[in-house]
Amino acid sequence: KLGATSPATRQGLCSRSVTMVMGLPPKRQRTLADEAKQGGLWTALRRNPTGMALLGLYGMISLAFGVQVIVTTSLAAEFWEHRMTTITSTFNVVKLAMGVVFAGPYGRFGDRYGNRIACAILALFSTAPFAALLIVGLTERGLWAACGANLLQGFAGLTMAGAPCLFSLLHEVVLPGDFAVMTAIACVSLGCVSIIGTFACTAIQSRGGEVAVIWFGFAIGVLSTVGLAVLPQRKLGAAEGADTSAAEPGDTDRPEEGKEANAQDVPGGGGGATPCASLSSAYFAAAHPLLLRLCVIAMLLCFSEAIATDVMNQFVLECLGWLGAAVDLQTRAKLLFHLTLALQLALAIGCLFLSWVSTRHSTYSVLVWTSVLAAVMLMWPPMMVLMQQLWDAFVVAVCVAVSMCAMPATAAVVPLVSPPGQVGEAMGAMGSFKCMSFLVGNLICVFGVPLLQQSGVDNPLWLVFPLCSVCALCAVPLTIGLRRKACAFGQEDKA
């Protein structure tokens, strides 16, 4: 056992272990807890330069998406006026419905032709709305064209929780055992880039106007596409037949990557594709019980995240009495801007702490405790009904941001419960379930919130947060059961 050796000896053994395992194809690599403890967080970042480069490109894609939202929101306020929320919500529903249908097949496409190609296509999709605006112009027709082009991202299952193909590519380029750390760092990268991008867009818009912002977003999309196209791939071959006996077994209570599918063969299973794309993700997940359980966990957590983020701004403004003509537009916009920055910063710090925890605890344990934390954090926002203070608005934003830290933990578990060589499709299947939860959350906000407002309850939106907390709480026993079943499979493999 590595725990019986000195720290220096343990680090040397782990380094040699990673060197041996690095040359193996993904389906034969170990992703065990002990392999994530080789020198801590900073060491994990230093030994994954390609992974860090990918995270930078991931941040650029997210920035392009954020710039597109800023531009289209501004144009929608000008051309669609009171129809703005209805039309944009309709586009979001269509995009999420596309993710439900196509996220799984898109992940299978990445497994077959390369996740780097799948990610490059997604980056190319992110440039389409800017290209539409540059070609058609800043008119209402251009706005419709840009929103229609934005639907292309639905093929990859892109949501605020990320794109499955990007996590699949990250799993391919990082060292075995560092994936859990790097998924959390990915969210840190997104938060930091979003904060920097928000200030950059504000500065560019003040000097060059909307057209300059559009060119900025288009350039970011093109650069990310080129960067993904030239991203170095991990070389296999020479070490493919290497002896793995030198690799330390580590935490044998958890299954190795790809073992899950072998341990739970089902009649007619095997995760093959179905003729109907709309059933492909559900069929693939159902053929692998641990993956299906993880997809349900992600769905519950995403559902609570979607509703909480959708209603947070309106809930805060209602508690402060800042809706309508109570305060001027500039004051209200300034508060919303600061709340967005507070949420992004809290999410970045929370995910940074999560990455540090991932170097010291198993991936399953991290998922259990982040689910518990999400349920606890979402209990605080209703307190603002009693304490209608400005400082409490920022506390609400921080609580919602911390509850979102559970999503990287779900992505980190996917390689441990996916069949050999099908991590991309497994990521896509979970992305499909996430899109389904975001879709249901948006529909609840569109149809359920007006019913709450007609109920006669004073500031009724506080009722949404207990619902979100209950959903996150329902995920806790599922995460505990997932850890137990995974440990049972690990014991069977050990025997």
Side-chain angles (χ1 to χ4, degrees):
K1 290 288 183 179
L2 290 178
T5 63
S6 65
T9 304
R10 181 164 62 250
Q11 184 172 354
L13 289 173
C14 287
S15 298
R16 288 195 297 272
S17 174
V18 169
T19 303
M20 295 295 296
V21 178
M22 182 61 181
L24 299 177
K27 63 183 179 181
R28 293 181 58 194
Q29 293 169 355
R30 302 176 188 273
T31 49
L32 305 178
D34 283 347
E35 291 177 348
K37 301 178 183 178
Q38 304 156 26
L41 174 60
W42 177 243
T43 306
L45 299 181
R46 289 172 54 189
R47 64 172 171 252
N48 290 288
T50 305
M52 293 302 296
L54 176 59
L55 294 187
L57 295 172
Y58 190 8
M60 292 174 65
I61 295 176
S62 175
L63 176 58
F65 177 73
V67 173
Q68 176 241 315
V69 171
I70 293 174
V71 172
T72 54
T73 300
S74 176
L75 293 175
E78 178 180 353
F79 295 114
W80 291 340
E81 298 181 355
H82 298 293
R83 299 179 298 155
M84 169 182 166
T85 301
T86 302
I87 296 176
T88 54
S89 296
T90 303
F91 273 107
N92 287 334
V93 168
V94 174
K95 180 180 175 181
L96 291 170
M98 291 174 62
V100 173
V101 175
F102 295 109
Y106 197 83
R108 192 185 312 123
F109 170 84
D111 285 334
R112 179 173 300 179
Y113 300 103
N115 284 303
R116 185 177 62 171
I117 296 177
C119 292
I121 293 174
L122 172 61
L124 191 62
F125 286 164
S126 69
T127 66
F130 301 108
L133 288 172
L134 291 173
I135 294 173
V136 183
L138 300 182
T139 61
E140 184 174 2
R141 183 177 296 179
L143 175 60
W144 282 101
C147 291
N150 182 48
L151 295 178
L152 293 174
Q153 298 173 2
F155 286 107
L158 180 66
T159 64
M160 61 185 300
C165 61
L166 289 167
F167 287 108
S168 300
L169 181 59
L170 180 64
H171 174 259
E172 291 182 359
V173 301
V174 301
L175 283 168
D178 289 336
F179 180 65
V181 178
M182 298 303 286
T183 51
I185 293 296
C187 292
V188 177
S189 173
L190 294 184
C192 294
V193 171
S194 297
I195 294 172
I196 296 172
T198 302
F199 285 107
C201 286
T202 303
I204 293 173
Q205 187 174 18
S206 62
R207 294 188 178 185
E210 294 287 343
V211 177
V213 175
I214 294 172
W215 277 110
F216 172 71
F218 181 79
I220 291 294
V222 172
L223 287 176
S224 61
T225 304
V226 174
L228 286 166
V230 301
L231 187 74
Q233 290 285 89
R234 192 170 60 200
K235 293 182 179 180
L236 306 175
E240 187 160 342
D243 181 16
T244 61
S245 59
E248 294 294 335
D251 184 5
T252 54
D253 286 342
R254 298 197 300 136
E256 297 177 12
E257 177 185 331
K259 283 287 187 71
E260 186 274 338
N262 298 330
Q264 48 176 323
D265 292 331
V266 293
T274 60
C276 182
S278 61
L279 299 178
S280 175
S281 298
Y283 180 86
F284 181 81
H288 306 94
L290 290 189
L291 177 61
L292 178 61
R293 183 182 288 260
L294 179 62
C295 288
V296 174
I297 292 170
M299 189 173 181
L300 289 171
L301 294 173
C302 275
F303 179 76
S304 61
E305 174 186 330
I307 297 181
T309 52
D310 282 349
V311 305
M312 183 188 73
N313 288 336
Q314 183 175 342
F315 170 72
V316 167
L317 293 176
E318 284 186 359
C319 289
L320 295 175
W322 284 22
L323 288 176
V327 296
D328 59 277
L329 178 62
Q330 184 176 1
T331 301
R332 184 164 54 242
K334 184 178 180 180
L335 172 63
L336 294 176
F337 177 75
H338 289 160
L339 284 178
T340 301
L341 287 181
L343 188 144
Q344 293 171 345
L345 183 60
L347 179 60
I349 294 175
C351 289
L352 183 62
F353 178 75
L354 178 64
S355 65
W356 177 79
V357 172
S358 298
T359 64
R360 287 160 173 78
H361 300 279
S362 73
T363 309
Y364 292 103
S365 297
V366 172
L367 177 59
V368 171
W369 288 108
T370 51
S371 301
V372 174
L373 184 62
V376 173
M377 288 293 102
L378 291 173
M379 293 179 183
W380 176 263
M383 297 298 296
M384 193 172 178
V385 177
L386 304 177
M387 298 181 294
Q388 300 178 356
Q389 302 294 326
L390 186 60
W391 61 266
D392 199 23
F394 292 93
V395 176
V396 170
V398 170
C399 289
V400 172
V402 173
S403 71
M404 296 167 64
C405 291
M407 296 319 302
T410 59
V413 178
V414 173
L416 302 178
V417 297
S418 59
Q422 293 181 283
V423 175
E425 187 169 2
M427 285 285 187
M430 190 174 73
S432 178
F433 278 78
K434 288 181 179 180
C435 288
M436 192 182 304
S437 62
F438 278 112
L439 175 61
V440 175
N442 274 272
L443 292 176
I444 287 179
C445 290
V446 171
F447 299 105
V449 170
L451 294 178
L452 281 177
Q453 292 173 331
Q454 296 174 7
S455 64
V457 179
D458 187 23
N459 195 359
L461 291 183
W462 72 267
L463 295 170
V464 170
F465 293 98
L467 172 64
C468 297
S469 180
V470 169
C471 288
L473 192 62
C474 290
V476 173
L478 293 176
T479 58
I480 295 175
L482 177 65
R483 181 173 61 177
R484 289 177 179 173
K485 286 182 176 294
C487 289
F489 285 134
Q491 292 292 351
E492 290 178 3
D493 294 336
K494 182 180 178 180

